[in-house]
Amino acid sequence: MTHHLPSAEALEAVHSFPCVFHVKAFGPNTAAFTEAVTDAGRSIATSSAAVSFSERASGGGKHVCVTISLDAHNATQVRALYTLLLAVPGLRMLL
């Protein structure tokens, strides 16, 4: 699967930074996947209050969507989060 990061220019064209930026990571419903996604979000956040998480399992329970809500200061921070998430084993989709 080929991954393309959104450009800083594209992000800045549709978002007024600083803002709350939401990212959804879909993958297997395992503790390892959820932990890897939340670790990525925490490592990018400037403080523990700057990021929150929610998760929802698929109807069959095989997959999970982890939503990251990040208080993003700029497009570079968002691009760094995407880069970390794209390296998470088992990632199926990133929105």
Side-chain angles (χ1 to χ4, degrees):
M1 180 183 335
T2 303
H3 302 287
H4 298 283
L5 290 177
S7 69
E9 294 79 18
L11 288 167
E12 290 167 352
V14 295
H15 299 283
S16 297
F17 291 98
C19 66
V20 177
F21 194 89
H22 304 281
V23 178
K24 294 182 178 283
F26 297 83
N29 191 2
T30 63
F33 176 78
T34 301
E35 184 177 335
V37 170
T38 56
D39 285 349
R42 285 190 188 101
S43 72
I44 294 298
T46 56
S47 72
S48 61
V51 64
S52 63
F53 306 94
S54 63
E55 60 183 87
R56 182 173 179 182
S58 64
K62 185 177 178 182
H63 295 93
V64 68
C65 171
V66 180
T67 302
I68 302 170
S69 299
L70 174 70
D71 291 339
H73 296 282
N74 53 51
T76 302
Q77 188 179 24
V78 171
R79 286 174 50 86
L81 176 59
Y82 272 98
T83 298
L84 289 175
L85 291 172
L86 288 170
V88 170
L91 181 74
R92 299 275 189 247
M93 185 176 3
L94 190 58
L95 301 175

